[in-house]
Amino acid sequence: MTIQTRRERERAERERLIVTTARELAEAEGWDAVTTRRLAAEIEYSQPVLYSHFKGKGAIMAAVVVQGCADLAAELASARAEAQGVRESLAAVAETYTSFARRRPALYDAMFTHLVDLPFATEEAPEPLRAAFGELFCAVQPIAAEGDDPGLLTETFWAGLHGLVTLMRSGRLPEEAHERRLALLIGHFAGN
């Protein structure tokens, strides 16, 4: 292994450590607890080392978002692949999406509620962001009626899921009706 290869590997490992630590700290204490000073102390590197990888908290959060979208895309793909039928696929994706948001609230907030310096809904969006939306699209596209725009239909489905998650997490919708709400959403989109 060349010195350059080793340095690149070590740099990539430090970046993963920074992103993982930020993610864990946010889940444990919220995004306000994630500061460059705190991260530097947690990973036992100086702040200049941290800044050599990321320009600040916003850039770290953007890296967390990209990683989170990759995780979400993988979970959605798995759920979709295991489902039998169009309606079942839509239901599996909806349940997986809402479960992801409930299990990882700080990550979900970074991905879909906090402002981050990433392009969304464009060709310039990082691949993991497009992949996560693509999994939703693959579940919704088969239910699109002739003349429907499958992209807009997917955005509307996603907005419905996001709204349910957000309202439930804030206590504005009771948790115990979650399954019934998902069934109503699926039924509406699947035409039943």
Side-chain angles (χ1 to χ4, degrees):
M1 173 184 314
T2 67
I3 292 173
Q4 180 66 25
T5 303
R6 183 180 50 104
R7 285 184 182 153
E8 289 171 4
R9 188 184 78 233
E10 289 171 353
R11 181 173 178 76
E13 287 172 8
R14 274 193 310 273
E15 284 185 8
R16 276 191 297 278
L17 178 62
I18 293 165
V19 170
T20 300
T21 304
R23 194 170 159 169
E24 290 170 355
L25 187 56
E27 288 297 351
E29 299 179 32
W31 281 104
D32 287 342
V34 180
T35 64
T36 54
R37 181 180 307 242
R38 177 86 183 269
L39 278 174
E42 292 283 332
I43 64 172
E44 299 178 346
Y45 283 102
S46 67
Q47 280 186 287
V49 169
L50 194 137
Y51 281 113
S52 74
H53 291 274
F54 297 99
K55 291 183 179 180
K57 180 179 175 177
I60 294 167
M61 189 180 281
V64 168
V65 167
V66 170
Q67 183 185 65
C69 285
D71 293 349
L72 177 60
E75 288 187 31
L76 294 175
S78 178
R80 209 169 48 77
E82 293 174 14
Q84 302 286 324
V86 172
R87 183 185 178 95
E88 292 76 12
S89 176
L90 194 64
V93 163
E95 180 54 41
T96 300
Y97 182 93
T98 58
S99 174
F100 181 93
R102 294 158 81 192
R103 284 189 335 269
R104 300 172 173 178
L107 176 58
Y108 185 84
D109 286 345
M111 292 164 62
F112 300 120
T113 62
H114 291 293
L115 292 175
V116 291
D117 189 20
L118 287 172
F120 284 83
T122 69
E123 288 300 315
E124 293 77 37
E127 174 54 31
L129 279 65
R130 291 190 317 248
F133 182 80
E135 289 302 326
L136 292 172
F137 182 86
C138 287
V140 172
Q141 185 180 25
I143 65 157
E146 188 172 330
D148 282 349
D149 179 331
L152 289 177
L153 192 60
T154 302
E155 290 171 357
T156 304
F157 180 68
W158 178 23
L161 293 174
H162 178 71
L164 288 174
V165 165
T166 303
L167 290 169
M168 202 167 38
R169 282 183 46 209
S170 68
R172 286 163 176 83
L173 292 177
E175 180 80 27
E176 62 272 4
H178 174 67
E179 298 301 322
R180 291 196 327 255
R181 282 188 208 96
L182 273 184
L184 286 170
L185 184 65
I186 301 307
H188 176 74
F189 274 85
N192 297 333

